[in-house]
Amino acid sequence: MEKIFYIFFDELIRQFKRDGLKTKQSRKSARDHLSSIISGISNGQKLAPEEAARLAVETAINFHKDSRDKNLQICLMGTYHNILYIALKTCWDWGVTDSNTVCSLLGEIYSCEKTFERLFLGAIFGTSAPYFIAGWKSDFRDQDENSRAMVYFLDHASRRRIEFPVCVNIEGQNNPRMTRFIDVPIQSCGMASPLRVTLQAGAPDILLILLRYGANPNPMDGGSNPIIALLDKLLESEDGRYPYQLESCLKILMRAVPFIDLPFKPYIFHVRKEMFVEKYCVLIKDGFISEDQIGEVASLKHLARCEIRQRLRDTGTLPRGIKNLHLPRRLRRYIDLMED
């Protein structure tokens, strides 16, 4: 069966020019043909459709590796690389459940691109925006499907706890740091993490998804503290008319951190707190920030939530591990950031 899929991918290379599969329509046509083969093999071999799709994805990965090996380990990012995106959409369309296969595909994509922006940008901005940002069109029908696909890949990456070496220039150092899939920077957005890009886009629904799956609320991508950045944006609002998206993002983000890491270092704590209160007094008055969030001791309930989430994040079981906690449903929702 693998040979049938291998022949199919080889014929794609012969049929299209080197950049032929860069168009959304050409990839869709190839996927439709591949789906027919998957259905035929599933019926003919009495094989579960999901298993036949898994074999197709595995073959796509191996075909890409072989093609790159023949080119001295250099991927030209053309037709045979875009075969990986045919495989990516095939994983989603057929619901491949094998996390090893899904994560192998993500690893093969990263080995060439060093980013996963083609998956995250469509979920954050919608399926049309990526064309203007990065010059390609999303293979997903709309933003909702792209968001659900993002969750699918986040779940598999979390199960396998996969990490990738990322080089981010921080304070003059450019040493690679092992980074989880959910925090890998988006190259076309200045190497900002998906969470930071989501905050910049003002997308609270995507922010909640990323935090629930364990995204670092203070990503190590060289940018400023996200909470401080949000507070500064809110200060720019006129006459107290705060943008709803920014309000929602701040509210959700505050659920995931024990307290605000005060700026104005290296001043001592009480000086930094006074400076913070003076600068953000309007936001404190309007209820965006409470006293126990300004470097004070937070409530035991909130600290327990943050600690439990950190333990689950370390074991790669966010958010699915929350349902196994022997706690009332309301507390599980609280830990899962669904309630204040």
Side-chain angles (χ1 to χ4, degrees):
M1 286 178 286
E2 290 89 339
K3 186 174 181 180
I4 295 174
F5 290 126
Y6 203 96
I7 292 172
F8 167 75
F9 292 126
D10 193 49
E11 284 298 316
L12 277 183
I13 297 295
R14 297 176 187 276
Q15 179 181 353
F16 291 95
K17 297 178 181 178
R18 191 180 74 84
D19 61 348
L21 287 175
K22 285 187 177 180
T23 67
K24 181 177 181 178
Q25 186 57 43
S26 63
R27 292 193 300 273
K28 182 181 184 304
S29 176
R31 285 198 313 274
D32 290 343
H33 190 182
L34 180 59
S35 293
S36 297
I37 296 174
I38 290 172
S39 296
I41 288 177
S42 174
N43 294 330
Q45 300 294 326
K46 308 225 182 283
L47 195 66
E50 182 268 332
E51 176 62 16
R54 186 193 68 80
L55 290 174
V57 172
E58 288 280 3
T59 306
I61 296 170
N62 292 331
F63 183 88
H64 179 265
K65 288 179 178 178
D66 291 345
S67 299
R68 188 174 54 188
D69 289 344
K70 293 175 184 177
N71 200 43
L72 303 177
Q73 295 295 315
I74 299 173
C75 179
L76 299 178
M77 306 297 287
T79 303
Y80 72 77
H81 181 77
N82 281 303
I83 282 173
L84 295 178
Y85 283 96
I86 293 173
L88 188 85
K89 188 65 162 56
T90 298
C91 270
W92 163 250
D93 288 341
W94 291 87
V96 174
T97 58
D98 184 77
S99 293
N100 288 329
T101 298
V102 175
C103 291
S104 292
L105 176 59
L106 293 175
E108 193 67 14
I109 290 172
Y110 187 81
S111 67
C112 299
E113 297 186 31
K114 308 304 180 188
T115 186
F116 294 107
E117 60 185 39
R118 290 177 70 167
L119 180 60
F120 284 107
L121 285 182
I124 297 171
F125 292 104
T127 52
S128 297
Y131 179 76
F132 301 101
I133 297 174
W136 47 263
K137 293 185 178 180
S138 172
D139 288 318
F140 298 99
R141 287 194 304 271
D142 50 35
Q143 188 173 10
D144 177 67
E145 184 184 56
N146 203 151
S147 299
R148 289 186 287 114
M150 181 187 71
V151 170
Y152 166 83
F153 288 103
L154 285 173
D155 185 66
H156 282 289
S158 174
R159 290 176 185 275
R160 301 304 305 160
R161 300 171 64 182
I162 57 173
E163 296 182 331
F164 303 92
V166 173
C167 291
V168 178
N169 194 332
I170 301 177
E171 298 179 352
Q173 297 183 357
N174 200 26
N175 298 324
R177 175 188 287 114
M178 295 307 295
T179 303
R180 293 174 305 155
F181 168 70
I182 198 170
D183 293 321
V184 170
I186 298 176
Q187 286 187 353
S188 61
C189 294
M191 293 300 289
S193 72
L195 181 135
R196 192 179 298 280
V197 175
T198 299
L199 288 173
Q200 292 169 347
D205 51 342
I206 302 299
L207 174 64
L208 180 59
I209 291 172
L210 293 176
L211 288 173
R212 289 184 64 222
Y213 275 86
N216 189 342
N218 190 14
M220 304 295 291
D221 56 5
S224 61
N225 184 300
I227 291 178
I228 302 302
L230 278 175
L231 293 176
D232 288 339
K233 280 189 176 182
L234 287 168
L235 278 182
E236 297 172 1
S237 303
E238 298 179 357
D239 302 325
R241 292 176 294 183
Y242 303 109
Y244 172 76
Q245 288 87 346
L246 294 183
E247 286 190 55
S248 299
C249 284
L250 179 62
K251 183 178 179 181
I252 293 169
L253 191 57
M254 289 300 300
R255 297 174 186 172
V257 297
F259 52 80
I260 299 174
D261 184 15
L262 300 182
F264 312 117
K265 296 177 181 179
Y267 292 108
I268 59 177
F269 172 75
H270 78 272
V271 175
R272 291 163 56 202
K273 181 176 178 180
E274 288 177 2
M275 296 172 69
F276 182 90
V277 171
E278 181 180 355
K279 180 176 180 179
Y280 300 106
C281 60
V282 175
L283 299 181
I284 296 174
K285 180 181 177 181
D286 289 343
F288 286 99
I289 313 167
S290 61
E291 279 291 326
D292 63 354
Q293 294 172 323
I294 311 175
E296 300 287 346
V297 178
S299 68
L300 180 60
K301 181 181 178 182
H302 180 62
L303 289 175
R305 166 165 67 179
C306 293
E307 181 63 24
I308 292 171
R309 288 185 57 81
Q310 185 59 51
R311 298 292 181 91
L312 294 174
R313 183 185 294 112
D314 292 341
T315 57
T317 52
L318 272 179
R320 65 184 182 281
I322 294 174
K323 66 181 180 181
N324 297 324
L325 300 174
H326 298 293
L327 295 171
R329 182 174 179 273
R330 185 171 180 180
L331 277 180
R332 292 200 302 269
R333 285 180 55 81
Y334 176 78
I335 295 171
D336 200 17
L337 306 181
M338 302 300 289
E339 295 182 3
D340 290 323

